[in-house]
Each structure stands twice: as structure tokens, then as C-alpha cells.
């Protein structure tokens, strides 16, 4: 792609704007030098990265890179064996934290399912150097200070320095007080050359034994290090040297740790810069509401409601621009300041953006084909220095374009043929357009010449387009219409600008009849097109309103149906609960009555009649429950365990449990308590079992009754209550054969079970279990 094309279409300006969204200079530099991709696969990969970044931004906000400053040069210095100072090490530590924050930003799970494989790959490749960062932070307090905690030796040295400082100050305070106070210029202690001194009046210089380090500018004060603190000052100096030596050792050690991890740290820096560039592009697209264009290799450009990216999105007029399918050339005509040049630049910039891996200012569904070149001759490049007129400068550009273009090129020409004799200019323009068409290149050109409008009407593969002009208000609408040539509207514009009406009429009379008819035909077509467009817009509005009304009605119906089903299911479930409670209460009363009656024959008949009545009511309630009464519109709960007959399941919509009686296709017949209903498998979940008591039956509902009751571990007095309840539930559930496990032991539980079975009307017969059934440790019961 020619640099001249970037300048002409103002792609440089656009790149600079996008660079402003990046944090790092490296990312800004990369964006400023951004060019079009020549192969489709890396281009699609870049667009995928931006798509993923936009998704992350919508859910998680902006990437946490604000304030990030790469430390590549510092890492390189350490890698070469150099020692880093405190500020440099802290910068590396900060960047380690940045890398970890970005890694967590990408990898952290949210309630919204995100599919970001490319960005997750960046996160996966980001190394975790937290231990190194903590080591640096523990050792370094600020940009120029190493912590006492950096090493035990440094802590010891600094502790000794504080003690020495205290001793020096104590001795000096005693030297400037009492009898010696008269020698002092002021009663304070200061330092000269890194050593503690006291200010002595010049006339008492010989009265204070010590070393003179400095004098005041007036000569009235001598700064003397008293002899009493010389040794202490020497010791302090030695400690300072030892401190610096230990600091240098610590910094060298930390630098060597950076050196050991230089490759990984450097890779992190590269990843952070790359992500900065990706999210800068995404942020620009997000803020300006750009969309992703489909990239094709079919030679077709189709932009829907495209707008110039450098214009205010609130005021820019969008246009539909399509070329390459039914026609390869568009001739745009219309008045000056009507938006023709903006349309050319909009098309060129959108193509450059899409092929550079950027989202474009157009609606969803837009597509851009891979282009080998984009050539643009737009604007007045008249050069006085080279003695080139406007026409000449255009011809120089066009000659270069004609020599370079070919299939896969897009040529944008503004005011083709202008700047010279109209008849010659028009003839030259038509010849240029034919040459471009023969080369296989796509071309969009603007013009005022009727001859070129007629060329587009008659030439195969060419089409007219126009920017609309409001003849009532005498101003352009900037809206592009493909398929219809435009009028220059010179007379209307001149009239608006105050030109005398008689001059306009005289000019109109001088126009040739063919030109007048052509202009009148265009005017008539524009009026009809405007009327048709208005009718189309109204039809679309009515269609959208009808769709919205239909959607509203559908949602209301679904809400009503769901509410109805839920209420019905709740009512049936409540009835089931009432019946179940009644059964439990009846069983309790019968158990008490049995104790009082002593198991008489009349009581047994009454007990059988009540049990039969309860079962009939349960069956009648099951018949009332429609197959879809428990079904809801809740989504499937995820991957389902393969369910089969006798599986215990949970029904989330009712917060109830049940047992599968049979499976048929994608549904199952489920018994929920005493209710039988058919439900989709997607609405069922395999029941999670919890640890039970020492015996397996503890008052479970008949729907989930097991054919085996284990009562080992209970007392003989508890047997009647547990076994009677179990047998009642088995009868209601329709079980014919069950096993009661009581263990062998001394036979007490077996005897208690036999007493209950002898008196229970639901029992047809019972026997000791066979060798494979538990032998004397179990009893097999056959129910009526």
C-alpha cells in the first residue's frame, strides 16, 4: 500500500487517534506504524483478538494496565550482568504485579460465559514471578532506600549506626553545655563532610580541642569536630561504608535473581505490550460503536450504514456502499459540498481499517474483500514549485495509478476530468474509467459531467450514484443513493446565494435541449426515488411495529401458560401432600388402635378397607396430573447422567424427589410421592444420596420405597412401628415382594418381625430367606 494513500485518506490521523488509547509507548509506536495485512489468516486472528477483548471489556471493564511502564531495558541490563538500583528493581516488581493482575483479569471466571481462547493463550504464557516480586518488595522500601529487613547483616549495621549516632550526639550535647557553652556560636550540632561538628566562635578557636572542618562565610564561626567524638565519627564512617557495601551486595543479589528470570520477565513485557495494543484497538472500537466486518476473498465490498471515522458519529450521515458484485464502478454525482469526497474517503478508510485488523464504523453485516492495493487521487495537489496546475497534478497521480493498478485494487478518483476543457475532460475521464474496468480493479469516481453520468448508464459493470440535495431547503442531505445519477443543482445553489433570477433564467435557456431533458429526467427520478424510499421506510416501520407487537403477545402468552402450569402443579402437589399427611396420620391412628383392639378380626378388616381407600385416592390424584404439569421452561441443568428405570431423581422445578418407573425416548414416567407423571429427561437430575441411619427405612415416601428394609440395630419395641409403616408404604406403592433384614443374633428381632407379619392384613405369606437371600438373617414377605 502506498504511503501516499495513507496520507490522502488520513489514515495517519486515524492511527494517531487509536494510539492515544494505548498505555505504553511501545504499543503506541506499533499502532502508529500499523499497515494492512496481506494475508487473510493473520488478519482474522487479529480481528478475533479484538472481538475477545471487547467481550472482556463489556463484562469485566478495562484491562488493568493503567500506569504500566515497560522495564525491558532494565531487564536487558540485568541480563547482561549489570546491577540494578532500588528504583529499577521496584519498577520490575510493579510490572510483575501488573502481569499477574492482567493474567487474573483474563482467566477469572464470571457468571457470563466468555469464549476467549486467544487472550487466554496470552494469559497462559504469562509467567508468575510473584516470589521474586515479594523478595524485591521486602528488601526495598522506596526508590532510594533498602529496608533493614533485606538482610540480618544490614539490620545489625544500621542498629550499630543508630547507637553510634546517639553516642556522638550525647557527647556533643555535653560539650556545648555548661562551662563550654560560652565558646559556642549557637547551641546546635551540625555536620560537615559527613562528620558531626559544633559551631565555635572564632575567638575561642584554640579553647576547643578538635579538628576544624569548615568556617562560616564571615569567618566568625569555626565548625570543629571535638576530639572526644573523633573516634566515634571514624566508627560511624566505617559503619556507613559497611552499610553501602551490604546494600550493593543485596542489590547485586536481587539483580542476579532478575538475570536468572530475564527471559520470562522479558516475555511478560512483550505480552503486556501486545495486550495493550489489542485493548487500545478494542477501546477505540467500543467507544465509537464500531463493528467487525466480515473479511472475504470474493472481490466484493458491502458496507451497511458506513460513516467517516474522523467525523462526529452523532452528526455523520451513514451510507450504504456496495461494489464488486453487480458492478465494479460507481460514478458519484451531485452538488459541491454534498458529501461526494467524504463518501470516497469513508469507503477507502473503512477498507484500510478492516484490512489493518480494526473494527469499522458500519453496521453489523458489512463485509470487505481482501485488497492488494488502494489508490486515491483526492483533493487539489497543485504544485507551484513544480509548475503543475490542478489538472496536471491529477493527471500525474492518475498516470501512476494506471501503471500500478490491477485485479484486487480499489481506485478512488475525485472530480475525474476536472480542471480542463469540459468536453476533453469528460472524454478523457471515460477513457480512464474504461481502462480501469478492463484491468479488473474496483473504482469509485466523482464527477459533475453529464457525459460521465451517461457513461455509467450505458456501460456494463458501471452504475450511477448521487448524493441527495434538498431542493426545498436548498441544502445537501449527504445521503448516498446508488443507482441514480445526481444533479449539480448549480442554479438552485446560485439562487440561494443571491444570484439574480434573470441571469439564472438566461443560463437555463442556453443549456442544450438534451442536457435539459437529461437534468429533468434525473429530477423526476429523484422525486420518485424519494417517494419510494419514504414509502419503504414507512413499510419497514409498520413491519417492525407488527413484529414487536407479535413478540409482546407471544411473551405474554408464554408468561400466562407458565403461570398456569406452575399454579396447577402447585395445587396438585399440595393435594398430594395433604393426602400423604392424611396417610401418615391414619397409619398413626391405626397403630394406636391396634394396640387397643388387640388385633381383632374386625379391626383388621377396617384396616384393609382404609388402606384400600387411600390407594384409590392416590391413583385418582395421579390421573388428575397431566403429563406436562410438572414441566417448566427452565433450561436443562447441564450434562445429564444417563437415567434408567428405578433411578431416584430430583425435580428442580418442584424441589421434589421421585423414582423413574420407565424411560421412553427423551421422557420418563416418574412417580412423585403418589403421583405418576411423564417428564422430559432434561428436567430430571440424578438424586444425590446422603448418609442414612443404621437402618435403611426412616419414613421415606412410598414413591421411593426400597424392596428391602434393614432394621438391624433397633430394639424389639421399635419393630412394630418401623415394620408396620414400611408394609403400609409398600402396599401403597404396589410392591408384591419385599425383604426385611433383621440379622441372625439370638432371634429376638426375627421373632418380633414374625409377630407383626402374622397380624398385618397386607401380608399374604412370609418365609425365611434362602441361602443367597440372607438365610435366617432375613425374612421374605409376599404382599397381597
Amino acid at each position: 500500500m502506498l504511503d501516499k494513500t495513507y496520507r490522502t485518506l488520513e489514515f495517519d490521523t486515524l492511527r494517531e487517534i487509536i494510539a492515544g488509547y494505548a498505555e505504553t509507548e511501545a504499543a503506541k509506536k506499533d499502532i502508529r506504524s500499523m499497515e494492512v495485512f496481506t494475508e487473510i489468516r493473520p488478519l482474522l486472528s487479529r480481528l478475533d483478538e479484538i472481538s475477545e477483548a471487547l467481550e472482556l471489556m463489556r463484562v469485566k471493564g478495562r484491562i488493568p494496565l493503567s500506569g504500566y511502564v515497560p522495564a525491558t531495558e532494565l531487564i536487558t541490563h540485568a541480563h547482561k550482568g549489570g546491577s540494578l538500583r532500588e528504583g529499577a528493581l521496584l519498577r520490575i516488581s510493579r510490572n510483575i504485579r501488573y502481569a499477574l493482575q492482567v493474567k487474573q483479569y483474563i482467566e477469572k471466571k464470571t457468571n457470563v460465559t466468555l469464549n476467549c481462547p486467544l487472550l487466554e493463550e496470552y494469559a497462559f504464557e504469562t509467567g508468575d514471578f510473584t516470589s521474586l516480586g515479594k523478595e524485591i518488595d521486602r528488601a526495598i522500601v522506596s526508590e532510594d532506600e533498602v529496608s533493614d529487613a533485606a538482610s540480618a547483616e544490614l539490620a545489625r549495621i544500621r542498629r550499630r549506626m543508630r547507637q553510634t549516632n546517639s553516642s556522638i550526639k550525647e557527647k556533643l550535647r555535653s560539650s556545648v553545655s555548661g562551662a563550654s557553652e560560652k565558646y559556642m556560636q549557637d547551641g546546635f550540632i551540625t555536620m560537615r563532610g559527613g562528620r558531626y561538628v559544633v559551631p565555635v566562635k572564632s575567638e575561642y578557636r584554640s579553647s576547643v580541642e578538635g579538628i576544624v572542618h569548615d568556617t562560616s562565610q564571615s569567618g566568625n564561626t569555626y565548625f570543629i569536630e571535638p576530639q572526644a567524638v573523633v573516634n566515634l565519627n571514624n566508627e560511624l564512617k566505617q559503619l556507613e561504608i559497611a552499610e553501602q557495601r551490604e546494600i550493593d551486595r543485596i542489590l547485586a543479589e536481587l539483580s542476579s535473581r532478575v538475570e536468572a528470570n530475564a527471559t520470562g520477565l522479558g516475555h511478560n513485557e512483550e505480552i503486556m505490550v501486545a495486550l495493550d495494543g489489542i485493548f487500545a484497538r478494542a477501546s477505540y472500537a467500543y467507544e465509537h460503536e464500531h463493528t467487525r466486518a466480515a473479511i472475504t476473498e470474493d472481490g466484493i465490498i458491502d458496507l451497511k450504514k458506513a460513516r467517516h471515522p474522523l467525523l462526529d458519529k452523532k452528526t455523520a450521515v451513514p451510507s450504504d456502499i456496495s461494489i464488486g458484485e453487480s458492478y465494479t464502478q460507481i460514478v458519484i454525482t451531485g452538488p459541491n459540498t454534498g458529501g461526494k469526497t467524504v463518501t470516497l474517503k469513508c469507503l477507502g478508510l473503512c477498507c484500510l481499517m478492516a484490512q489493518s485488523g480494526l473494527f469499522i464504523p458500519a453496521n453489523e453485516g458489512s463485509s470487505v474483500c481482501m485488497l492488494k492495493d488502494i489508490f486515491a487521487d483526492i483533493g487539489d495537489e497543485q504544485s507551484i514549485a513544480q509548475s503543475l496546475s490542478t489538472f496536471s497534478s491529477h493527471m500525474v497521480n492518475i498516470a501512476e495509478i494506471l501503471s500500478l493498478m490491477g485485479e484486487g485494487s480499489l481506485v478512488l478518483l475525485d472530480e475525474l476530468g476536472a480542471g480542463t476543457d469540459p468536453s476533453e475532460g469528460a472524454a478523457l475521464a471515460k477513457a480512464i474509467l474504461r481502462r480501469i474496468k478492463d484491468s479488473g480493479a474496483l473504482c469509485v469516481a466523482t464527477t459533475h459531467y453529464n457525459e460521465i453520468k451517461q457513461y455509467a448508464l450505458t456501460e456494463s459493470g458501471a452504475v450511477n450514484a448521487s448524493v441527495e440535495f434538498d431542493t426545498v431547503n436548498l441544502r445537501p442531505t449527504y445521503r448516498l443513493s446508488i443507482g441514480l445519477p445526481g444533479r449539480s443543482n448549480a442554479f438552485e445553489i446560485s439562487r440561494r446565494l443571491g444570484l439574480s433570477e434573470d441571469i439564472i433564467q438566461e443560463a437555463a435557456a442556453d443549456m442544450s435541449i438534451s442536457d435539459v431533458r437529461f437534468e429533468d429526467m434525473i429530477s423526476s427520478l429523484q422525486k420518485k426515488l424519494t417517494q419510494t424510499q419514504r414509502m419503504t421506510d414507512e413499510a419497514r416501520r409498520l413491519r417492525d411495529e407488527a413484529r414487536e407487537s407479535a413478540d409482546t403477545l407471544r411473551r405474554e402468552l408464554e408468561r400466562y401458560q407458565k403461570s398456569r402450569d406452575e399454579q396447577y402443579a402447585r395445587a396438585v402437589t399440595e393435594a398430594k401432600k395433604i393426602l400423604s399427611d392424611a396417610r401418615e396420620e391414619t397409619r398413626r391412628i391405626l397403630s394406636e388402635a391396634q394396640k387397643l383392639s388387640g388385633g381383632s378380626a374386625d379391626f383388621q378388616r377396617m384396616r384393609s378397607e382404609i388402606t384400600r381407600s387411600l390407594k384409590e385416592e392416590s391413583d385418582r390424584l395421579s390421573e388428575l396430573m397431566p403429563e406436562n404439569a410438572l414441566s417448566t421452561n427452565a433450561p436443562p441443568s447441564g450434562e445429564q447422567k444417563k437415567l434408567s428405570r428405578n433411578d431416584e431423581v430430583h425435580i428442580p422445578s418442584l424441589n421434589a424427589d421421585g423414582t423413574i418407573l420407565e424411560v421412553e425416548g427423551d421422557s420418563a414416567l416418574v412417580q412423585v410421592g403418589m403421583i405418576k407423571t411423564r417428564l422430559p429427561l432434561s428436567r430430571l437430575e440424578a438424586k444425590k444420596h446422603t448418609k442414612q441411619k443404621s437402618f435403611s427405612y426412616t419414613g421415606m415416601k412410598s414413591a421411593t420405597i426400597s424392596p428391602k428394609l434393614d432394621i438391624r440395630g433397633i430394639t424389639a419395641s421399635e419393630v412394630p412401628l418401623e415394620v408396620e409403616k414400611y408394609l403400609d408404604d409398600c402396599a401403597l406403592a404396589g410392591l408384591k415382594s419385599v425383604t426385611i433384614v433383621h440379622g441372625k443374633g439370638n432371634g429376638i428381632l426375627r421373632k418380633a418381625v414374625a409377630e407383626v407379619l402374622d397380624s398385618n392384613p397386607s401380608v399374604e405369606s412370609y418365609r425365611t430367606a434362602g441361602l443367597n437371600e440372607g438365610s435366617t438373617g432375613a425374612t421374605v414377605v409376599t404382599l397381597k
Side-chain angles (χ1 to χ4, degrees), residues 681-697:
L681 289 174
S682 60
R683 307 301 180 193
L684 306 178
E685 295 179 354
K687 184 180 176 184
K688 297 179 179 179
H689 293 276
T690 56
K691 187 175 181 181
Q692 297 181 345
K693 292 172 63 177
S694 58
F695 51 91
S696 62
Y697 182 75

Side-chain angles (χ1 to χ4, degrees), residues 56 60 62-65 68 94-110 114 116-130 264 267-269 271-273 275-276 279:
L56 280 179
K60 301 181 179 181
R62 297 192 180 275
I63 188 171
L65 271 175
Y68 176 79
R94 281 196 297 269
N95 287 4
I96 289 174
R97 289 196 297 274
Y98 269 114
L100 184 60
Q101 290 170 2
V102 169
K103 184 181 180 73
Q104 293 171 344
Y105 165 83
I106 295 174
E107 293 180 338
K108 185 178 180 181
K109 301 302 180 184
T110 64
L114 297 171
C116 304
L118 296 177
L119 296 185
E120 286 173 357
E121 183 65 23
Y122 280 109
F124 177 78
E125 291 183 1
T126 300
D128 186 353
F129 299 96
T130 304
H267 187 53
N268 277 10
E269 298 280 316
I271 291 174
M272 294 304 105
V273 170
L275 288 173
D276 186 23
F279 277 85

Side-chain angles (χ1 to χ4, degrees), residues 194-458:
R195 300 177 74 88
Y196 285 101
V197 296
V198 292
V200 178
K201 296 176 182 178
S202 57
E203 60 268 27
Y204 298 113
R205 153 69 188 92
S206 58
S207 301
V208 177
E209 184 179 0
I211 302 170
V212 177
H213 285 276
D214 196 6
T215 60
S216 65
Q217 192 171 2
S218 64
N220 294 328
T221 304
Y222 282 74
F223 295 96
I224 299 175
E225 177 186 3
Q227 190 64 43
V229 298
V230 170
N231 290 335
L232 288 174
N233 268 331
N234 289 340
E235 182 182 349
L236 183 61
K237 271 295 181 183
Q238 292 171 353
L239 289 171
E240 288 174 353
I241 294 171
E243 177 194 33
Q244 189 58 51
R245 188 182 300 116
E246 180 63 11
I247 288 174
D248 291 342
R249 187 196 65 78
I250 293 169
L251 296 179
E253 185 176 320
L254 291 173
S255 298
S256 68
R257 293 273 284 114
V258 173
E259 178 186 5
N261 294 279
T263 302
L265 291 170
H267 187 53
N268 277 10
E269 298 280 316
E270 294 172 359
I271 291 174
M272 294 304 105
V273 170
L275 288 173
D276 186 23
I278 292 168
F279 277 85
R281 293 168 171 87
S283 297
Y284 173 74
Y286 180 79
E287 185 173 314
H288 293 81
E289 299 178 3
H290 291 184
T291 63
R292 177 174 178 171
I295 306 299
T296 70
E297 295 181 289
D298 57 7
I300 299 173
I301 300 171
D302 185 17
L303 302 180
K304 302 182 185 301
K305 302 300 179 186
R307 62 183 187 273
H308 195 292
L310 299 181
L311 297 180
D312 188 343
K313 64 183 178 183
K314 296 179 181 178
T315 58
V317 178
S319 296
D320 293 331
I321 309 172
S322 181
I323 186 172
E325 186 172 13
S326 302
Y327 44 85
T328 60
Q329 290 189 336
I330 300 176
V331 174
I332 304 177
T333 50
N336 288 325
T337 70
K340 298 189 300 298
T341 303
V342 170
T343 300
L344 286 184
K345 289 188 174 183
C346 174
L347 172 60
L349 264 177
C350 284
C351 290
L352 282 176
M353 292 175 71
Q355 203 164 329
S356 300
L358 298 172
F359 281 25
I360 65 173
N363 283 5
E364 295 283 353
S366 298
S367 62
V368 175
C369 63
M370 289 290 289
L371 297 168
K372 295 179 181 178
D373 294 290
I374 298 178
F375 301 104
D377 178 56
I378 300 174
D380 186 359
E381 295 189 10
Q382 180 177 354
S383 172
I384 297 176
Q386 298 181 27
S387 301
L388 294 177
S389 65
T390 299
F391 176 76
S392 300
S393 65
H394 281 302
M395 283 303 106
V396 169
N397 290 337
I398 292 173
E400 182 182 17
I401 291 171
L402 294 178
S403 67
L404 297 173
M405 70 179 184
E407 189 173 355
S409 298
L410 172 63
V411 180
L412 306 173
L413 303 175
D414 192 25
E415 299 293 351
L416 181 60
T420 188
D421 178 78
S423 58
E424 292 181 355
L428 192 58
K430 288 190 289 184
I432 291 171
L433 289 173
R434 289 193 183 97
R435 176 61 61 86
I436 294 173
K437 185 166 72 73
D438 292 342
S439 73
L442 303 177
C443 179
V444 181
T446 68
T447 185
H448 284 288
Y449 294 149
N450 283 339
E451 292 88 344
I452 303 180
K453 300 176 190 178
Q454 293 169 354
Y455 160 86
L457 285 171
T458 58

Side-chain angles (χ1 to χ4, degrees), residues 131-252:
S131 60
L132 173 58
K134 288 182 177 179
E135 191 174 343
I136 293 174
D137 292 338
R138 182 180 62 84
I140 300 176
V141 177
S142 66
E143 297 285 328
D144 56 3
E145 183 181 355
V146 175
S147 170
D148 290 4
S151 74
E153 177 63 13
L154 184 61
R156 186 195 66 78
I157 292 172
R158 287 182 171 172
R159 185 167 55 253
R160 180 58 184 155
M161 288 175 66
R162 288 191 292 271
Q163 293 171 352
T164 304
N165 267 297
S166 297
S167 298
I168 292 173
K169 291 177 182 178
E170 184 61 32
K171 284 185 176 295
L172 289 177
R173 276 194 292 270
S174 64
S175 68
V176 297
S177 60
S180 302
E181 189 173 354
K182 65 179 181 179
Y183 303 145
M184 302 301 131
Q185 186 70 269
D186 294 294
F188 65 87
I189 301 168
T190 186
M191 295 189 78
R192 287 293 186 272
R195 300 177 74 88
Y196 285 101
V197 296
V198 292
V200 178
K201 296 176 182 178
S202 57
E203 60 268 27
Y204 298 113
R205 153 69 188 92
S206 58
S207 301
V208 177
E209 184 179 0
I211 302 170
V212 177
H213 285 276
D214 196 6
T215 60
S216 65
Q217 192 171 2
S218 64
N220 294 328
T221 304
Y222 282 74
F223 295 96
I224 299 175
E225 177 186 3
Q227 190 64 43
V229 298
V230 170
N231 290 335
L232 288 174
N233 268 331
N234 289 340
E235 182 182 349
L236 183 61
K237 271 295 181 183
Q238 292 171 353
L239 289 171
E240 288 174 353
I241 294 171
E243 177 194 33
Q244 189 58 51
R245 188 182 300 116
E246 180 63 11
I247 288 174
D248 291 342
R249 187 196 65 78
I250 293 169
L251 296 179

Side-chain angles (χ1 to χ4, degrees), residues 484-545:
L484 185 68
R487 304 175 62 198
S488 65
N489 294 290
F491 293 160
E492 286 83 355
I493 294 174
S494 299
R495 187 177 288 114
R496 184 187 66 176
L497 296 176
L499 191 64
S500 174
E501 184 64 30
D502 58 341
I503 296 176
I504 295 173
Q505 293 296 333
E506 183 178 347
D510 284 343
M511 288 183 65
S512 67
I513 295 176
S514 61
D515 286 341
V516 172
R517 288 177 177 173
F518 187 71
E519 289 290 321
D520 290 343
M521 178 190 69
I522 292 174
S523 179
S524 176
L525 287 173
Q526 284 180 333
K527 289 178 181 178
K528 291 180 179 179
L529 181 64
T530 301
Q531 185 179 7
T532 302
Q533 185 64 46
R534 194 179 300 115
M535 294 172 65
T536 301
D537 291 343
E538 179 65 15
R540 286 175 178 168
R541 185 186 65 78
L542 293 174
R543 179 200 64 190
D544 293 341
E545 287 181 357

